Amino acid sequence: MKFEEAKKEIEKLRKEINYHNYRYYVLNQPVISDYEYDQLYKRLVELEKRFPELITPDSPTQRVGGEPLKEFKTVEHKIKMLSLDNTYSEEELLEFDRRVKKGLGRPVKYEVTLKVDGVAVALHYKDGKFVLGATRGDGIHGDDITQNLKTIKSVPLELLTDDKELKNIEVRGEVYLSKKNFEKINKEREEKGEPIFANPRNAAAGTLKLLDPKEVAKRNLDIFIHTIPAQPGPHHKSHFETLNSLKEAGFKIIPHIELCNDINEVIKYMKKWENKRDELEYEVDGLVIKVDNFEDREILGYTIKSPRWAIAYKYPARQAITKLKDIQLQVGRTGRVTPVAILEPVPLSGTTISRATLHNEDEIRRKDIRIGDYVIIEKGGEVIPKVVGVVKDRRTGKEKVFRFPDKCPVCGEKIYRLEGEADWRCVNSSCPAQIKAAILHFASRQAMDIEGLGSVLVNKLVDLGIVRSFDDIYKLDVKTISELERMGEKSAQNLINAIEKSKERDFVNVLYALGIPNVGINASNLLVNEFKNIDKLMNASLEQLTAIQGIGEVVAEGIINYFKSPKNRRLIENLKKAGLKFETEKIVAEGPLKNKTFVFTGELSSMTREEAQALVRKLGGHPSSSVSKNTDYVVVGSQPGSKYEKAKKLGVKIIDEQEFLRMIKDFKK
Ligand SMILES: [Zn+2]
């Protein structure tokens, strides 16, 4: 096949695939079968493989392309991304309408849409092609998240229109996660021992912040387009009509959009959706009401904070009253102990509620919540509803004040609450409530770096009772592991090798691996530099610990409590016997890096960022991830991000990789 022929066919295939994408992901009305679609896609991949010079960034095959980013570039919003004023009542809506009519001196039409609880983004098109996507940020500057937005299948990479004005447009929308996907993600996170997201909006925001588009693609984000920030041209006069044209151009426009002739129709819409919104597959927390005509908007203008021609209406949070039967403690994967209200089951916005969070000890005291009380519970977009208050008029005198226990309900060990912290914690490394997450941390890269000890295997090993604490890992053998389902002899051998190799890890990694509360890799370094071996550290006093620059009171207390536990001391003895290093061999160099803070931005050519940071640590310096006045050096690699700009602004010393290498050359071995 000749180049020209291939080029033609590729162009045709892309057009077809884009169109079918639109039918499937935007309109939900496919006209071909999945099989036929796959054939088209495969053919395109095949041709692009043969003619890689024909691959363009807007090809449907490039949705999940590119390498993970180091950081996001900052982009400026030419048209500010303002937030809207919020209203909470019918009166406030009428008041808004009066202001608008007064400003215009004539009646006005409103466009009204549901307010989806997601993350606001801006999308820019040039010559019909998607060229830039950004977060709102502070409204003036946002992050360039083009790569991540491309993974959303309903974001058109190329528009299906010939209208010049529409082909060069900025649109804004809401990236959201469906309720179903949100639950799925949280379930997976829980299984892996990762913290769960509080609500779909948090989950969507967290996902857009991921630097690896491949990870973003797995989360199945979606988008609704709802705003055209500027009139695209003289013959597009109405926002509503322009949005409808954009629908034909390939955008997934927010559904249930209506053009209302007056504010009364808006109020009718508001009432209609108040309860009906629970049936939708995404979270809706209110409405957005906008003056429809572009010219009218121009006349009304803006305040400093928001447009005068638009307003948001928020539905009230939903509440119910029920009896608090008991308060139980729940131990999270990190040892955090949270009180949970056990309730007389009560229906609330479509589900039956029998548990609610009480947050922490202080909240219970502050709200004076007693066992036997009638309590008000509230459900927002959160997973677990919360107790917001007590109906004191219904007290009989038999209610019991709750006393926070001092033992972990799961393992029975003493729990601690540190000065200045709200939560009680179980610090037992072998606590069954925490052991899975603790082992994953223990095996992680900066800790013991045991490749192959992932969540699926850890779940099995713990559930079968084979691994009950870290030292059990060093008792594993090939036979035990290969007998586990789906684990061949070869991978079992690899894992045993990785476990064996982990014994060579430095004391600092071992200390970090233990998972002492608030002791990250930096604190581990400070402690290792000071104490050199575990025995000295175990016997250190609070004064000795807090005397170290960088170790605060909370961290120090956490360390002391950790070593108070006989179980933890026994664990360390066992790990010593297994052959792990609990002392340093080398003395950290008294080099030019001592006590200097380093920030890296952009890509280094001679090492990864993690390696560079480890080197800084080893030589007595402190790597940091953000630039401040206290930063001593910013090391700039190729394609530096916003940290470089910030360093310039703050006047921090900026050096390149060569200079950094020169600084450390006498110390690097
Ligand atoms: Zn425990």
Side-chain angles (χ1 to χ4, degrees):
M1 183 182 250
K2 284 204 202 80
F3 182 84
E4 277 309 313
E5 254 174 89
K7 192 175 171 200
K8 257 198 196 131
E9 190 178 343
I10 282 178
E11 275 165 13
K12 189 168 155 265
L13 281 166
R14 284 181 189 160
K15 275 220 162 73
E16 278 180 63
I17 291 169
N18 278 337
Y19 176 71
H20 292 302
N21 246 333
Y22 168 66
R23 299 289 310 197
Y24 189 91
Y25 292 106
V26 177
L27 300 182
N28 216 352
Q29 294 165 344
V31 285
I32 58 171
S33 68
D34 290 358
Y35 176 77
E36 286 170 288
Y37 179 87
D38 288 343
Q39 295 310 105
L40 292 172
Y41 194 86
K42 270 190 200 147
R43 175 72 183 152
L44 178 60
V45 171
E46 189 191 309
L47 284 176
E48 287 185 340
K49 220 182 210 162
R50 274 164 61 190
F51 299 94
E53 61 275 39
L54 289 173
I55 300 176
T56 55
D58 60 312
S59 170
T61 60
Q62 304 300 304
R63 278 198 182 269
V64 191
E67 290 300 301
L69 301 170
K70 291 277 185 202
E71 62 200 331
F72 295 115
K73 273 191 290 188
T74 302
V75 287
E76 190 181 338
H77 296 297
K78 296 234 165 62
I79 309 167
K80 279 190 216 165
M81 280 183 90
L82 297 170
S83 52
L84 298 180
D85 276 341
N86 282 325
T87 54
Y88 299 90
S89 66
E90 212 176 304
E91 288 77 59
E92 285 176 292
L93 281 179
L94 292 168
E95 179 54 40
F96 165 72
D97 180 53
R98 270 193 288 275
R99 279 198 310 269
V100 166
K101 282 196 284 209
K102 200 176 157 205
L104 285 174
R106 58 169 180 261
V108 64
K109 281 187 185 172
Y110 294 111
E111 176 198 282
V112 50
T113 62
L114 297 172
K115 189 169 168 294
V116 176
D117 204 12
V119 181
V121 295
L123 279 67
H124 294 259
Y125 285 79
K126 208 167 192 176
D127 289 330
K129 294 194 164 115
F130 177 50
V131 290
L132 173 69
T135 59
R136 183 209 297 268
D138 61 4
I140 302 166
H141 294 100
D143 286 336
D144 177 347
I145 52 162
T146 313
Q147 278 210 48
N148 287 351
L149 289 174
K150 271 169 89 173
T151 68
I152 302 175
K153 302 246 179 47
S154 50
V155 167
L157 300 178
E158 179 153 23
L159 299 180
L160 312 164
T161 179
D162 293 322
D163 184 320
K164 263 231 166 66
E165 289 168 352
L166 296 187
K167 279 171 92 169
N168 294 286
I169 200 168
E170 175 184 354
V171 294
R172 288 173 185 172
E174 207 76 8
V175 172
Y176 70 95
L177 258 177
S178 69
K179 292 175 189 166
K180 212 169 75 197
N181 273 322
F182 166 68
E183 270 159 32
K184 194 173 136 239
I185 290 170
N186 262 353
K187 214 176 138 218
E188 286 167 5
R189 289 176 75 86
E190 209 164 359
E191 276 164 12
K192 282 193 215 152
E194 293 168 1
I196 59 166
F197 291 113
N199 52 48
R201 186 193 55 240
N202 281 344
T207 304
L208 285 179
K209 277 195 201 122
L210 296 174
L211 293 166
D212 186 355
K214 287 185 188 68
E215 291 302 311
V216 179
K218 286 186 202 156
R219 298 270 178 91
N220 284 314
L221 293 172
D222 210 334
I223 190 170
F224 286 135
I225 300 300
H226 53 57
T227 297
I228 306 160
Q231 184 169 11
H235 67 271
H236 294 287
K237 292 187 170 24
S238 147
H239 187 261
F240 181 74
E241 272 166 33
T242 317
L243 268 188
N244 278 315
S245 314
L246 286 182
K247 191 172 180 177
E248 279 153 34
F251 286 107
K252 187 166 180 176
I253 302 300
I254 190 158
H256 311 295
I257 179 166
E258 267 180 39
L259 192 60
C260 295
N261 287 309
D262 55 41
I263 198 72
N264 292 324
E265 285 187 22
V266 173
I267 289 165
K268 221 186 264 166
Y269 181 102
M270 177 261 281
K271 286 184 176 153
K272 179 173 102 184
W273 283 102
E274 172 146 24
N275 289 317
K276 226 179 134 185
R277 67 195 159 116
D278 291 333
E279 297 160 18
L280 299 169
E281 48 191 42
Y282 41 86
E283 288 288 345
V284 165
D285 62 350
L287 315 177
V288 175
I289 300 116
K290 297 181 197 139
V291 170
D292 182 45
N293 189 294
F294 283 118
E295 223 177 86
D296 289 348
R297 293 183 179 189
E298 198 86 358
I299 297 167
L300 290 164
Y302 299 81
T303 68
I304 305 167
K305 267 174 49 215
S306 45
R308 288 200 180 88
W309 42 264
I311 203 155
Y313 171 83
K314 285 222 168 168
Y315 286 118
R318 284 159 293 192
Q319 298 188 332
I321 292 173
T322 188
K323 191 169 180 175
L324 175 70
K325 294 197 297 186
D326 196 8
I327 295 176
Q328 289 179 2
L329 298 186
Q330 194 171 294
V331 187
R333 307 268 170 174
T334 55
R336 194 176 144 206
V337 181
T338 27
V340 177
I342 308 300
L343 307 164
E344 199 86 64
V346 58
L348 179 60
S349 60
T351 51
T352 301
I353 309 296
S354 55
R355 293 160 76 87
T357 179
L358 291 160
H359 297 294
N360 56 50
E361 186 184 18
D362 290 347
E363 281 292 295
I364 297 175
R365 203 170 295 151
R366 194 173 65 80
K367 291 172 184 154
D368 186 21
I369 297 166
R370 303 178 191 179
I371 295 168
D373 265 336
Y374 278 86
V375 291
I376 303 159
I377 57 168
E378 184 177 296
K379 201 177 168 212
E382 317 293 314
V383 201
I384 310 176
K386 55 187 175 190
V387 175
V388 291
V390 176
V391 189
K392 292 202 174 140
D393 291 344
R394 283 180 80 169
R395 278 200 175 146
T396 61
K398 284 186 186 156
E399 294 77 15
K400 274 187 287 179
V401 173
F402 176 69
R403 295 214 187 290
F404 217 94
D406 63 352
K407 286 198 173 63
C408 171
V410 178
C411 71
E413 284 282 286
K414 196 166 160 28
I415 55 174
Y416 295 92
R417 183 176 167 189
L418 300 184
E419 194 67 40
E421 279 207 341
D423 296 317
W424 287 80
R425 269 173 205 284
C426 169
V427 296
N428 173 11
S429 281
S430 313
C431 174
Q434 305 167 52
I435 189 68
K436 285 180 185 173
I439 290 173
L440 288 175
H441 169 77
F442 185 81
S444 67
R445 235 178 56 198
Q446 287 196 304
M448 301 311 285
D449 194 20
I450 305 174
E451 213 186 308
L453 196 55
S455 57
V456 177
L457 185 59
V458 168
N459 280 343
K460 254 179 220 161
L461 289 170
V462 173
D463 292 343
L464 292 171
I466 299 171
V467 172
R468 290 197 178 86
S469 68
F470 299 151
D471 51 320
D472 289 336
I473 295 169
Y474 294 93
K475 294 175 195 146
L476 293 170
D477 53 44
V478 175
K479 190 168 160 283
T480 314
I481 295 175
S482 59
E483 273 169 8
L484 290 173
E485 210 187 341
R486 282 202 300 170
M487 193 75 180
E489 196 145 323
K490 184 148 184 290
S491 41
Q493 185 61 54
N494 287 343
L495 177 63
I496 294 298
N497 293 347
I499 291 173
E500 202 46 42
K501 197 156 175 275
S502 76
K503 293 178 184 170
E504 293 164 19
R505 299 290 281 168
D506 287 338
F507 178 30
V508 56
N509 305 99
V510 177
L511 184 60
Y512 171 64
L514 291 176
I516 302 170
N518 300 314
V519 177
I521 193 76
N522 277 326
S524 300
N525 254 292
L526 297 173
L527 294 168
V528 167
N529 284 345
E530 181 69 26
F531 295 103
K532 320 288 187 219
N533 70 53
I534 191 89
D535 297 310
K536 280 195 192 135
L537 173 60
M538 273 202 281
N539 297 319
S541 67
L542 192 71
E543 291 73 36
Q544 276 175 298
L545 288 167
T546 49
I548 305 170
Q549 204 193 354
I551 301 287
E553 196 126 324
V554 169
V555 179
E557 261 188 78
I559 294 166
I560 290 195
N561 291 335
Y562 180 88
F563 289 120
K564 258 190 214 158
S565 154
K567 282 193 182 164
N568 289 340
R569 285 184 171 244
R570 213 172 311 132
L571 170 71
I572 287 165
E573 272 317 303
N574 290 339
L575 289 175
K576 263 191 199 167
K577 275 184 209 146
L580 271 55
K581 287 187 196 164
F582 281 97
E583 57 188 354
T584 45
E585 294 154 329
K586 290 183 292 289
I587 292 165
V588 167
E590 295 273 322
L593 272 53
K594 193 169 191 247
N595 290 331
K596 295 271 187 271
T597 302
F598 282 77
V599 173
F600 294 88
T601 178
E603 221 159 309
L604 301 178
S605 60
S606 63
M607 62 186 94
T608 66
R609 187 177 293 189
E610 286 73 29
E611 285 165 348
Q613 288 170 336
L615 215 51
V616 168
R617 257 186 232 111
K618 212 168 185 171
L619 298 174
H622 311 293
S624 168
S625 56
S626 60
V627 179
S628 75
K629 283 197 308 252
N630 300 324
T631 309
D632 293 296
Y633 296 97
V634 170
V635 184
V636 177
S638 62
Q639 291 173 318
S642 55
K643 290 174 198 165
Y644 175 60
E645 297 298 325
K646 193 161 178 202
K648 275 206 290 195
K649 213 184 273 170
L650 292 174
V652 174
K653 191 164 169 56
I654 297 169
I655 60 173
D656 63 7
E657 187 175 353
Q658 291 309 317
E659 203 168 337
F660 173 66
L661 292 174
R662 236 174 283 135
M663 280 175 92
I664 60 170
K665 85 172 184 306
D666 295 337
F667 301 92
K668 199 181 161 196
K669 38 158 208 179

